[in-house]
Structure formats: structure tokens, C-alpha cells
Amino acid sequence: GWKKERILAEYPDGRIIMVLPEDPKYALKKVDEIREMVDNDLGFQQAPLMCYSRTKTLLFISNDKKVVGCLIAEHIQWGYRVIEEKLPVIRSEEEKVRFERQKAWCCSTLPEPAICGISRIWVFSMMRRKKIASRMIECLRSNFIYGSYLSKEEIAFSDPTPDGKLFATQYCGT
Ligand code: COA
């Protein structure tokens, strides 16, 4: 509920705001607190160094004023595609998810041009599967570069968690 918020989208269940490095200190401090909490949840021991001056942070704020989603994006030049592996014969969707969660994955060593790197994406556990992450990415795509809408090919995810990989696979349709 900051006086000046950069609102990117409003929905019946909340709104998405964007925080930029040049924003007031109180906003950046809040973003830092949220990032620390997200990093703990993602199991990052020590936050990898990021070039904060170029990051864009999107927050999904619920109607009861809680931060239920966070996405941190940065400018990148290259992405490395996750190598597709043939699934064994799997009958149910449940089995597929279980398989995807267990297995390790590899990525190509061949760099491919990309523009936007999603360094963190996180949704509060009780609010997952309500398209909060999908809506944050949609907003990111239309607001990362002024006047342009990023294609899915121009976005890359940092080393994904099993949840992140399942989400990205579905979102990107790859
Ligand atoms: N298992 C299987 N499919 C999943 C999934 C999961 N855990 N999470 C998302 N998907 C797929 C589904 O197809 C889903 O559509 P559906 O619910 O209609 O089936 C679709 O992606 C869209 O999901 P959405 O509701 O937009 O995602 P979300 O708001 O639940 O957020 C994460 C997804 C990954 C951000 C969330 O699970 C999370 O915060 N996880 C913990 C942090 C984390 O691992 N972050 C990823 C770092 S790379």
C-alpha cells in the first residue's frame, strides 16, 4: 500500500506492481527482505551476486495486502536450453509429474540469444496453481522492455527447481 506504486495489472484477487532500482529506499529494502525470504525457501545458502542496478522486481499483492508472489528478472545475453529427454511410457499425469520431479536434467552447452533472465520466481505455497506465476510472467513480458512484448523464446529461467521446471515446461510449451 505504498503511496506511489507502479501498478502493472489489477485483478479481482490482487495486483502486480514493479519495483525498479531507482525507487525509494523503503521499496528497495522491502524487496531485499522478500528476496531473502524467497532465497531461503528456494534453498539458496548464499544469494548469488546479482547486478541489482539492472534488475526488475514484480510483486503480486493480494487484496489483503500480502506479498504472495515475487519475480526478479535481469538482462541477459544468452540462455542454455534444457536438453529434452524421452519420457518412459507413462500413463497418468500424476506419474509424469513424479518422474519429472525425480530426475536430474542437463542443459546444452550451446548458448542461444536471450534477453530476459528470470532469476527468481516464487509464489506463496497456499496460493499456488492460481496462475499467479503465469500472470507475473505475462506482465514481465510486456513491461521488461519499454514498448515491446517479449516472446517466450527471449526469456530464460535460472537453474530451475522441479516446481519451476514443471511450470516453465507448461508455460513455454516446450
Ligand atoms: N507441478 C506441475 N505443474 C505445475 C506446477 C507444479 N508444481 N506448478 C505449475 N505447474 C503448471 C501447471 O500446468 C499450471 O497450470 P494448472 O494449475 O492449470 O495445471 C501451470 O504450470 C501454471 O501454473 P501457475 O498457477 O501460474 O504457477 P504458480 O503460481 O503455482 O507458481 C511456481 C509456480 C513454480 C512459481 C511455484 O510452484 C513456486 O513458487 N514454487 C516454489 C519456488 C520455486 O520452485 N520457484 C521456481 C524457481 S525456478
Side-chain angles (χ1 to χ4, degrees), residues 41-42 97 101 120-124 127-135 157-168 170-171:
D41 213 30
L42 288 172
V97 167
R101 276 186 177 283
R120 318 274 198 287
I121 182 158
W122 170 92
V123 171
F124 173 48
M127 300 291 279
R128 288 182 192 160
R129 308 299 289 268
K130 295 178 191 292
K131 300 280 190 278
I132 289 178
S134 306
R135 286 181 275 170
F157 291 80
S158 63
D159 189 13
T161 60
D163 273 344
K165 185 162 170 274
L166 286 160
F167 165 74
Q170 159 66 30
Y171 184 83

Side-chain angles (χ1 to χ4, degrees), residues 102-160:
Q102 279 167 1
K103 78 178 169 73
W105 48 86
C106 303
C107 71
S108 163
T109 51
L110 184 79
E112 290 179 51
I115 292 176
C116 175
I118 296 179
S119 149
R120 318 274 198 287
I121 182 158
W122 170 92
V123 171
F124 173 48
S125 56
M126 312 266 289
M127 300 291 279
R128 288 182 192 160
R129 308 299 289 268
K130 295 178 191 292
K131 300 280 190 278
I132 289 178
S134 306
R135 286 181 275 170
M136 288 195 295
I137 297 199
E138 282 303 312
C139 274
L140 176 74
R141 289 171 65 188
S142 43
N143 290 279
F144 191 71
I145 292 177
Y146 183 76
S148 97
Y149 183 67
L150 292 180
S151 73
K152 291 178 183 174
E153 287 287 308
E154 291 168 322
I155 297 177
F157 291 80
S158 63
D159 189 13

Side-chain angles (χ1 to χ4, degrees), residues 63-131:
N63 289 336
D64 56 352
K65 295 188 177 175
K66 292 191 171 120
V67 176
V68 294
C70 171
L71 184 162
I72 304 179
E74 56 193 336
H75 288 268
I76 54 166
Q77 285 182 301
W78 310 107
Y80 299 85
R81 204 172 281 279
V82 172
I83 296 168
E84 186 182 14
E85 274 182 70
K86 287 268 173 293
L87 287 174
V89 183
I90 284 175
R91 283 165 293 274
S92 68
E93 196 56 27
E94 222 171 88
E95 252 183 294
K96 188 175 151 198
V97 167
R98 206 174 320 128
F99 177 80
E100 282 287 341
R101 276 186 177 283
Q102 279 167 1
K103 78 178 169 73
W105 48 86
C106 303
C107 71
S108 163
T109 51
L110 184 79
E112 290 179 51
I115 292 176
C116 175
I118 296 179
S119 149
R120 318 274 198 287
I121 182 158
W122 170 92
V123 171
F124 173 48
S125 56
M126 312 266 289
M127 300 291 279
R128 288 182 192 160
R129 308 299 289 268
K130 295 178 191 292
K131 300 280 190 278

Side-chain angles (χ1 to χ4, degrees), residues 2 4-8 17-31 52-53 55-59:
W2 293 321
K4 270 196 190 171
E5 280 182 343
R6 197 175 288 103
I7 298 177
L8 303 186
I17 65 166
M18 180 159 72
V19 181
L20 298 178
E22 63 266 25
D23 282 355
K25 275 224 172 80
Y26 61 81
L28 300 182
K29 192 165 164 264
K30 190 73 191 169
V31 161
Y52 281 111
S53 58
T55 60
K56 293 183 165 70
T57 304
L58 270 60
L59 301 175

